[in-house]
Amino acid sequence: RARADRVIGEASRLEALTSDLLDFARSAPLRIESVDPKAVLAASIADVAEDGFVIDATSAPSTWQLDPSRIRQTLVNVLQNARQASADERAPEVRITQQAGKLVYEVRDFGPGLAPGTADRIFDPFFTTRTNGTGLGLAVAKRAAEAHGGTLSARNHDGGGAVFRIELPRAAG
Protein backbone atom coordinates (compact mmCIF):
# COMPACT_ATOMS: atom_id res chain seq x y z
CA ARG A 1 0.00 0.00 0.00
CA ALA A 2 2.80 2.44 0.89
CA ARG A 3 4.57 1.79 -2.40
CA ALA A 4 1.35 2.27 -4.37
CA ASP A 5 0.72 5.57 -2.55
CA ARG A 6 4.27 6.67 -3.37
CA VAL A 7 3.83 5.78 -7.06
CA ILE A 8 0.55 7.73 -7.17
CA GLY A 9 2.19 10.70 -5.46
CA GLU A 10 5.11 10.73 -7.89
CA ALA A 11 2.76 10.37 -10.87
CA SER A 12 0.81 13.39 -9.63
CA ARG A 13 4.04 15.35 -9.19
CA LEU A 14 5.13 14.48 -12.75
CA GLU A 15 1.72 15.47 -14.10
CA ALA A 16 2.02 18.86 -12.37
CA LEU A 17 5.54 19.34 -13.72
CA THR A 18 4.44 18.47 -17.26
CA SER A 19 1.51 20.85 -17.00
CA ASP A 20 3.81 23.64 -15.74
CA LEU A 21 6.27 23.02 -18.58
CA LEU A 22 3.50 23.11 -21.18
CA ASP A 23 2.08 26.33 -19.72
CA PHE A 24 5.53 27.90 -19.84
CA ALA A 25 6.23 26.76 -23.40
CA ARG A 26 2.83 27.83 -24.71
CA SER A 27 2.88 30.99 -26.78
CA ALA A 28 -0.59 30.95 -28.30
CA PRO A 29 -2.07 34.31 -29.23
CA LEU A 30 -4.25 36.01 -26.65
CA ARG A 31 -8.01 35.64 -26.92
CA ILE A 32 -9.12 39.05 -25.74
CA GLU A 33 -12.71 39.50 -24.67
CA SER A 34 -14.70 41.81 -22.45
CA VAL A 35 -14.97 40.20 -19.01
CA ASP A 36 -15.76 41.06 -15.42
CA PRO A 37 -12.40 41.15 -13.56
CA LYS A 38 -14.17 40.11 -10.35
CA ALA A 39 -15.52 36.98 -12.07
CA VAL A 40 -12.02 36.08 -13.30
CA LEU A 41 -10.74 36.45 -9.74
CA ALA A 42 -13.64 34.39 -8.34
CA ALA A 43 -12.90 31.56 -10.79
CA SER A 44 -9.22 31.69 -9.86
CA ILE A 45 -9.98 31.57 -6.15
CA ALA A 46 -12.32 28.62 -6.72
CA ASP A 47 -9.37 26.78 -8.30
CA VAL A 48 -7.19 27.44 -5.23
CA ALA A 49 -9.35 27.59 -2.08
CA GLU A 50 -12.81 29.15 -2.00
CA ASP A 51 -12.73 30.32 1.59
CA GLY A 52 -9.06 31.18 1.83
CA PHE A 53 -8.88 34.86 0.83
CA VAL A 54 -10.02 38.29 1.98
CA ILE A 55 -11.23 40.18 -1.10
CA ASP A 56 -11.63 43.91 -1.69
CA ALA A 57 -13.28 44.53 -5.07
CA THR A 58 -15.08 47.77 -4.18
CA SER A 59 -12.97 49.77 -6.67
CA ALA A 60 -12.92 47.15 -9.42
CA PRO A 61 -14.10 48.11 -12.90
CA SER A 62 -17.15 46.21 -14.12
CA THR A 63 -15.49 45.08 -17.38
CA TRP A 64 -12.03 44.86 -18.87
CA GLN A 65 -10.57 43.58 -22.14
CA LEU A 66 -8.28 40.61 -21.49
CA ASP A 67 -7.74 36.92 -22.12
CA PRO A 68 -9.67 35.41 -19.19
CA SER A 69 -8.02 31.97 -19.28
CA ARG A 70 -4.47 33.39 -19.28
CA ILE A 71 -5.20 35.88 -16.50
CA ARG A 72 -7.02 33.19 -14.55
CA GLN A 73 -3.88 31.02 -14.69
CA THR A 74 -1.76 34.02 -13.70
CA LEU A 75 -3.97 34.64 -10.68
CA VAL A 76 -4.07 30.95 -9.73
CA ASN A 77 -0.26 30.81 -9.67
CA VAL A 78 0.04 33.96 -7.55
CA LEU A 79 -2.83 32.94 -5.23
CA GLN A 80 -1.35 29.47 -4.67
CA ASN A 81 1.96 31.03 -3.66
CA ALA A 82 0.16 33.40 -1.28
CA ARG A 83 -1.75 30.54 0.36
CA GLN A 84 1.41 28.49 0.76
CA ALA A 85 3.33 31.44 2.23
CA SER A 86 0.64 32.65 4.65
CA ALA A 87 0.15 31.30 8.12
CA ASP A 88 -3.02 29.26 8.55
CA GLU A 89 -4.61 31.81 10.88
CA ARG A 90 -4.28 34.74 8.46
CA ALA A 91 -5.83 34.59 4.99
CA PRO A 92 -4.08 36.36 2.11
CA GLU A 93 -5.68 39.58 0.89
CA VAL A 94 -6.64 40.33 -2.71
CA ARG A 95 -7.56 43.76 -4.04
CA ILE A 96 -8.81 44.73 -7.52
CA THR A 97 -8.69 48.36 -8.59
CA GLN A 98 -8.35 50.55 -11.62
CA GLN A 99 -5.38 52.91 -11.38
CA ALA A 100 -3.96 55.23 -14.03
CA GLY A 101 -5.92 53.45 -16.78
CA LYS A 102 -4.78 49.98 -15.71
CA LEU A 103 -6.53 47.06 -14.11
CA VAL A 104 -4.61 46.14 -10.96
CA TYR A 105 -4.77 42.90 -8.99
CA GLU A 106 -2.77 42.95 -5.74
CA VAL A 107 -2.23 39.82 -3.68
CA ARG A 108 -0.71 40.15 -0.22
CA ASP A 109 0.42 37.16 1.79
CA PHE A 110 1.35 37.00 5.46
CA GLY A 111 4.40 34.80 5.20
CA PRO A 112 8.05 35.63 5.79
CA GLY A 113 8.27 37.87 2.73
CA LEU A 114 10.79 37.69 -0.08
CA ALA A 115 14.19 36.48 1.05
CA PRO A 116 17.09 38.87 0.44
CA GLY A 117 18.52 38.39 -3.03
CA THR A 118 15.49 36.54 -4.42
CA ALA A 119 13.26 39.46 -5.51
CA ASP A 120 15.04 39.72 -8.87
CA ARG A 121 15.04 35.97 -9.44
CA ILE A 122 11.57 34.76 -8.41
CA PHE A 123 10.19 35.24 -11.92
CA ASP A 124 13.06 33.30 -13.56
CA PRO A 125 12.06 29.91 -14.98
CA PHE A 126 12.98 27.01 -12.69
CA PHE A 127 13.93 29.24 -9.75
CA THR A 128 12.22 28.10 -6.56
CA THR A 129 12.74 28.33 -2.83
CA ARG A 130 10.50 25.31 -2.20
CA THR A 131 11.70 21.74 -2.09
CA ASN A 132 8.76 20.48 -4.15
CA GLY A 133 8.21 23.45 -6.48
CA THR A 134 8.98 23.53 -10.20
CA GLY A 135 9.90 27.20 -10.33
CA LEU A 136 7.59 27.77 -13.28
CA GLY A 137 4.40 29.19 -11.72
CA LEU A 138 5.58 32.78 -11.38
CA ALA A 139 7.46 32.63 -14.70
CA VAL A 140 4.22 31.57 -16.44
CA ALA A 141 2.29 34.30 -14.59
CA LYS A 142 4.77 37.01 -15.59
CA ARG A 143 4.79 35.89 -19.20
CA ALA A 144 0.97 36.10 -19.37
CA ALA A 145 0.93 39.58 -17.82
CA GLU A 146 3.57 40.75 -20.29
CA ALA A 147 1.65 39.22 -23.22
CA HIS A 148 -1.15 41.64 -22.24
CA GLY A 149 1.34 44.54 -22.28
CA GLY A 150 1.28 44.54 -18.49
CA THR A 151 3.56 43.70 -15.61
CA LEU A 152 3.85 41.40 -12.64
CA SER A 153 5.99 42.63 -9.78
CA ALA A 154 6.69 41.65 -6.19
CA ARG A 155 7.90 43.44 -3.09
CA ASN A 156 7.94 42.96 0.65
CA HIS A 157 5.15 44.65 2.58
CA ASP A 158 6.14 46.99 5.42
CA GLY A 159 3.79 45.08 7.73
CA GLY A 160 5.24 41.69 6.80
CA GLY A 161 4.69 39.26 3.98
CA ALA A 162 4.91 39.91 0.27
CA VAL A 163 2.75 41.78 -2.23
CA PHE A 164 2.39 40.65 -5.83
CA ARG A 165 0.99 43.25 -8.22
CA ILE A 166 -0.45 42.50 -11.67
CA GLU A 167 -1.06 45.59 -13.84
CA LEU A 168 -2.92 45.22 -17.13
CA PRO A 169 -3.48 48.13 -19.53
CA ARG A 170 -6.65 48.46 -21.56
CA ALA A 171 -6.44 46.39 -24.71
CA ALA A 172 -6.38 48.31 -27.95
CA GLY A 173 -9.55 48.19 -30.00
Side-chain angles (χ1 to χ4, degrees), residues 11-83:
S12 296
R13 189 180 69 76
L14 286 172
E15 180 182 19
L17 176 60
T18 302
S19 177
D20 287 347
L21 284 167
L22 289 172
D23 286 342
F24 183 73
R26 221 174 260 137
S27 59
L30 296 177
R31 293 189 173 162
I32 302 294
E33 54 187 90
S34 183
V35 298
D36 178 354
K38 294 177 293 228
V40 175
L41 176 62
S44 304
I45 287 173
D47 288 347
V48 177
E50 294 208 26
D51 62 347
F53 298 91
V54 175
I55 301 164
D56 176 1
T58 55
S59 299
S62 59
T63 61
W64 204 262
Q65 297 286 319
L66 53 80
D67 181 328
S69 65
R70 300 279 284 276
I71 295 305
R72 180 176 175 171
Q73 184 61 53
T74 297
L75 287 167
V76 164
N77 292 350
V78 172
L79 293 168
Q80 283 176 335
N81 281 1
R83 283 282 296 195

Side-chain angles (χ1 to χ4, degrees), residues 37-172:
K38 294 177 293 228
V40 175
L41 176 62
S44 304
I45 287 173
D47 288 347
V48 177
E50 294 208 26
D51 62 347
F53 298 91
V54 175
I55 301 164
D56 176 1
T58 55
S59 299
S62 59
T63 61
W64 204 262
Q65 297 286 319
L66 53 80
D67 181 328
S69 65
R70 300 279 284 276
I71 295 305
R72 180 176 175 171
Q73 184 61 53
T74 297
L75 287 167
V76 164
N77 292 350
V78 172
L79 293 168
Q80 283 176 335
N81 281 1
R83 283 282 296 195
Q84 291 169 352
S86 292
D88 290 336
E89 66 274 0
R90 188 100 189 250
E93 298 173 351
V94 184
R95 186 169 63 127
I96 311 171
T97 60
Q98 182 177 343
Q99 300 173 9
K102 295 179 182 178
L103 174 65
V104 178
Y105 289 98
E106 277 191 341
V107 179
R108 178 183 178 200
D109 68 47
F110 292 93
L114 303 172
T118 62
D120 294 337
R121 299 180 57 209
I122 59 172
F123 299 109
D124 291 347
F126 306 107
F127 177 80
T128 184
T129 58
R130 296 194 175 96
T131 56
N132 61 350
T134 62
L136 288 171
L138 291 177
V140 168
K142 184 171 178 133
R143 184 177 278 183
E146 290 174 346
H148 282 81
T151 60
L152 171 57
S153 60
R155 64 175 174 80
N156 282 324
H157 190 278
D158 293 340
V163 178
F164 285 79
R165 183 178 174 97
I166 303 161
E167 293 185 19
L168 305 170
R170 283 201 180 277

